[in-house]
Amino acid sequence: MNKYLAEAFGTFWLVLGGCGSAVLAAGFPEVGIGLLGVALAFGLTVLTMAFAIGHISGCHLNPAVTIGLWAGGRFDGREILPYVIAQVIGGIIAGGILYLIASGQVGFDVAGSGFAANGYGMHSPGQYSFSAVVITEIVMTMMFLIVIMGATDERAPQGFAPIAIGLCLTLIHLISIPVSNTSVNPARSTAVAIYVGDWATSQLWIFWLAPIIGGIVGAVMYRVIAGSPNPRHAVI
């Protein structure tokens, strides 16, 4: 049970810190933290939680990571469902707290603000097409899994995995926030989409499917590149 609680709390922090920075601080009032700040916030949530709970659960915080690690031979398939449930619950709770905070501002409109939800077409920050968003989410998650598996390989320098993985997530956001608002994490997408409803929930399926495909592809590719699974531990 400790592992599942750790995953729930870790995903809670990822959503509150990452999506919270986008909703509350990105453009406040005119000199906010901007795209760079939001990207860094997401990376910092993973980095800090990796040190906090990595030794308890592996600090996946992401269904695509959990499934990808299974595909890469690093994770027991029997643990996938409870990990994913814990991640989604933790994210939804964080989304609820973020909603309560944001709605305390005069004139707040969850649908109008977007609430850091992921989307394509007219709901993409840069108005990117469905195909562009799908390609972006698959490729970004693929690279995330390659970095995760490489950084936690028993042959990699020890103790630096959280830094590499956190910086990788920051880079992913710097590249893809304009395209899809950056998911690469179905739990993160679900956590805010359910409060926006409407278009956010109708487009949510692609932010489950594309990251999971990317995670599986990245994990399998790393096994090919590395030559052997080398499972030091689940992840971080």
Side-chain angles (χ1 to χ4, degrees), residues 46-55 59 159-163 236:
V46 171
L47 190 154
T48 52
M49 277 295 111
F51 282 114
I53 66 167
H55 55 286
C59 192
F160 294 99
I163 298 172
I236 296 167

Side-chain angles (χ1 to χ4, degrees), residues 1-235:
M1 200 64 192
N2 298 55
K3 295 182 293 186
Y4 312 140
L5 286 171
E7 284 297 300
F9 275 105
T11 312
F12 172 91
W13 184 233
L14 183 145
V15 171
L16 189 63
C19 296
S21 70
V23 172
L24 304 175
F28 174 80
E30 295 178 358
V31 186
I33 61 174
L35 185 152
L36 176 59
V38 173
L40 186 59
F42 272 100
L44 287 173
T45 62
V46 171
L47 190 154
T48 52
M49 277 295 111
F51 282 114
I53 66 167
H55 55 286
I56 302 171
S57 69
C59 192
H60 299 189
L61 317 185
N62 182 338
V65 169
T66 297
I67 294 170
L69 289 169
W70 164 77
R74 300 277 190 93
F75 192 67
D76 186 347
R78 294 172 295 182
E79 296 270 33
I80 290 175
L81 185 59
Y83 260 59
V84 170
I85 291 172
Q87 291 157 1
V88 171
I89 290 173
I92 289 173
I93 293 172
I97 290 177
L98 180 58
Y99 178 82
L100 290 174
I101 295 169
S103 61
Q105 183 182 37
V106 175
F108 173 74
D109 175 15
V110 67
S113 70
F115 204 53
N118 304 110
Y120 57 83
M122 65 181 294
H123 302 295
S124 156
Q127 307 287 290
Y128 283 83
S129 67
F130 173 82
S131 60
V133 167
V134 170
I135 293 168
T136 300
E137 289 292 325
I138 290 175
V139 173
M140 292 298 116
T141 316
M142 177 189 77
M143 294 307 302
F144 195 34
L145 262 293
I146 289 173
V147 170
I148 288 172
M149 292 192 68
T152 56
D153 194 301
E154 62 184 7
R155 297 165 292 183
Q158 303 295 296
F160 294 99
I163 298 172
I165 295 166
L167 288 175
C168 179
L169 189 60
T170 297
L171 177 58
I172 285 169
H173 279 77
L174 288 173
I175 296 167
S176 58
I177 285 176
V179 181
S180 63
N181 234 3
T182 309
S183 172
V184 303
N185 184 340
R188 167 262 187 268
S189 298
T190 303
V192 290
I194 63 170
Y195 295 98
V196 177
D198 193 24
W199 64 267
T201 50
S202 69
Q203 294 189 359
L204 180 60
W205 66 274
I206 196 59
F207 298 105
W208 275 83
L209 183 62
I212 288 173
I213 291 172
I216 292 171
V217 171
V220 172
M221 285 185 65
Y222 182 78
R223 291 190 69 167
V224 173
I225 295 166
S228 63
N230 283 291
R232 174 157 60 86
H233 43 61
V235 49

